[in-house]
Amino acid sequence: MSARAKSFAARLLVYAGASFSMTVLLFIMGYILVRGIPHLSPALFAWEYNSENVSLTPALINTLYMTVLSLAFAVPLGVGAAIYLSEYAKRSSRLVKVVRLTAETLSGIPSIIYGLFGALFFVVTLRMNLSLMAGALTLSIMILPLIMRTTEEALLAVPDAYREGSFGLGAGRLRTTLKIVLPSAAPGILAGVILGIGRIVGETAALIYTAGTVPEAAENLLDSARTLSVHMYSLASEGLHIEEAYATAVVLLATVAGINALSAWTAGRLGRRSNGQI
Amino acid sequence: MAKFEIENLNLWYGSHHALKHVSLSIEALKITALIGPSGCGKSTLLKTLNRMNDLVEGCRITGRVLLDGQDVYGGMDTSLLRRRVGMVFQKPNPFPMSVYDNVAFGPRTHGIRGKARLDDIVERSLRAAAIWDELKDCLKKDALRLSGGQQQRLCIARALAVEPEVLLMDEPTSALDPISTSRIEDLVVSLKQNYTIIIVTHNMQQAARISDRTAFFLLGELVEYGDTEKLFSLPRDKRTENYITGRFG
Ligand SMILES: Nc1ncnc2c1ncn2[C@@H]1O[C@H](COP(=O)(O)OP(=O)(O)OP(=O)(O)O)[C@@H](O)[C@H]1O
Ligand SMILES: [Mg+2]
């Protein structure tokens, strides 16, 4: 084959791959939108759930709680651990390698395993019952490795020349990390958080046996609470409200899209901030 | 008067003996050039002076480094040391923030607050680094958008902002075009009035043009040290002569 033919074939392959994945994505989205939008009724957004209206509002609120709570545990821990690994620990140390390997292994475990662990540990042993708290703790353990790894990668991608410049001016490790390294890494860290949010919002298996399926907005941390995904799963598996399940899927899609847009906007602002005042 | 007194300094990176029995006295308010082939330990010596080698794993040092008679490795606070002994790196490394914040970073690190004071320091530092006229109208500009030569002068201003006594410069012009290089050379010569300058360079003409004293290193050893003019016209050591006439290195 001549070089031109080869490059043509390569291009064809790339285009074929790209258009195939685009088509699949658009098809799924289109399918859900077409099946779901006609069933978006005001009743679906009623404040209280009952078996007639199968309102998704409580689940939407619970999703918000679950996301915020899980992130409140996972982000400080994950980012803190990553800062320790990349900025404080010796780069060649055994501990760093062990922690990295553990995180990598943990991020490959199916979520149902986390669910099982959460059910046994938080729900039974710690007597939290099926609750928002037990669910959020389980999810935060689940996304911790993800947050840690993406943050560490973002920190390691910050050029050492910045650190040297800062140390060279007499700044300590803390100031260098907070004022120079973290702002440069913020967009990368946020990308990890977005992935984490995606997993929280989309999770069902790890939640059914930890947060339970009560379709009411949680009033305190120990209330059982079903999130949108769990809600959808329940509707679909009961088989009585398939149309509403599609409508719920539309709302779920919109929620995820909204969160991503918000995050991208924040990342943009953070990026600009790090170039501005300190 | 000697600003730095280096006594029988040895440095190892793991098992690699990078500086061997170096003794050297750096005069105050003079420009001292460190020359020698790649890998001979010039940057390493420079970094022992403000203890940047502390950050390198497996780096071990024996001997003494005295700054104004005080042992740099004898429990001196590294933050204070680096405030007194500033550093400019080979590749310009402005922080990804505005020109103003770059220059103000050092003073803020050392506890200086208040807009008026910082404004004053920023202006003085940029003037001292001969870049005020170019940048005075764009202090808010992202420093990464400046040209390479401007970035390097900004880094010099940033180093000057903490009012150091000594300026360590590691090949500060090797990444720059000839015009930026000559501007920085002029700047370095003018800074000599107030600062002790130690500059590493691969450029023999540059060493001859701007420095008062020159030290020639080979494989971690100090081969010859003396007045620049003498060292270049009448080198005492055969190896120095070979190097400056371009026979190796
Ligand atoms: N962080 C480090 N770890 C291990 N070895 C190092 C380290 N930095 C430098 N070395 C070694 O120490 C020796 C001296 O290095 P140094 O950077 O001081 O040389 P140099 O004279 O500045 O060279 P150049 O002109 O190329 O910049 C070299 O052999 C180098 O490989
Ligand atoms: Mg060097």
Side-chain angles (χ1 to χ4, degrees), chain B residues 104-177:
Chain B
F105 184 82
R108 283 172 174 153
T109 298
H110 297 286
I112 293 176
R113 296 276 179 278
K115 189 169 176 337
R117 267 183 88 191
L118 286 171
D119 285 354
D120 181 50
I121 291 174
V122 169
E123 176 170 348
R124 264 190 295 132
S125 309
L126 290 171
R127 277 189 196 284
I131 196 174
W132 172 252
D133 290 330
E134 281 160 72
L135 295 186
K136 64 172 181 251
D137 296 321
C138 45
L139 295 176
K140 289 224 162 73
K141 186 169 167 171
D142 181 2
L144 298 185
R145 292 230 277 275
L146 302 175
S147 75
Q150 287 176 324
Q151 288 189 2
Q152 194 61 303
R153 275 178 291 148
L154 175 64
C155 289
I156 294 175
R158 187 176 71 183
L160 295 180
V162 295
E163 299 179 351
E165 300 155 29
V166 182
L167 213 50
L168 309 175
M169 309 182 105
D170 194 349
E171 304 186 43
T173 61
S174 65
L176 304 179
D177 62 277

Side-chain angles (χ1 to χ4, degrees), chain B residues 11 40 43 71 87 100 107 114 131 151 158 190 203 217 232 235 239 244:
Chain B
L11 184 145
C40 69
S43 303
D71 192 349
M87 190 155 198
Y100 185 99
I131 196 174
Q151 288 189 2
R158 187 176 71 183
S190 77
N203 182 333
F217 289 84
F232 277 97
R239 293 170 292 176
I244 58 180

Side-chain angles (χ1 to χ4, degrees), chain B residues 13 16 18 37-44 56 171 202:
Chain B
Y13 289 119
H16 177 62
S38 192
C40 69
K42 307 176 298 286
S43 303
T44 300
V56 179
E171 304 186 43
H202 265 130

Side-chain angles (χ1 to χ4, degrees), chain A residues 17-38:
Chain A
S19 39
F20 178 73
S21 13
M22 274 300 281
T23 315
V24 171
L25 187 72
L26 286 178
F27 176 75
I28 294 177
M29 299 234 314
Y31 187 77
I32 289 174
L33 291 179
V34 168
R35 302 259 332 234
I37 288 176

Side-chain angles (χ1 to χ4, degrees), chain B residues 20-88:
Chain B
K20 297 168 187 161
H21 309 287
V22 174
S23 294
L24 184 72
S25 151
I26 307 272
E27 281 172 63
L29 304 184
K30 290 270 158 57
I31 300 177
T32 304
L34 309 182
I35 61 170
S38 192
C40 69
K42 307 176 298 286
S43 303
T44 300
L45 178 65
L46 213 57
K47 285 194 258 168
T48 55
L49 299 181
N50 66 346
R51 292 186 55 173
M52 288 295 273
N53 277 324
D54 287 14
L55 307 168
V56 179
E57 263 178 67
C59 174
R60 197 160 54 81
I61 294 173
T62 67
R64 294 213 299 173
V65 177
L66 304 177
L67 172 59
D68 288 334
Q70 252 185 310
D71 192 349
V72 164
Y73 286 89
M76 190 183 280
D77 179 44
T78 50
S79 173
L80 280 180
L81 169 66
R82 290 177 192 153
R83 183 179 186 173
R84 292 174 65 186
V85 183
M87 190 155 198
V88 176

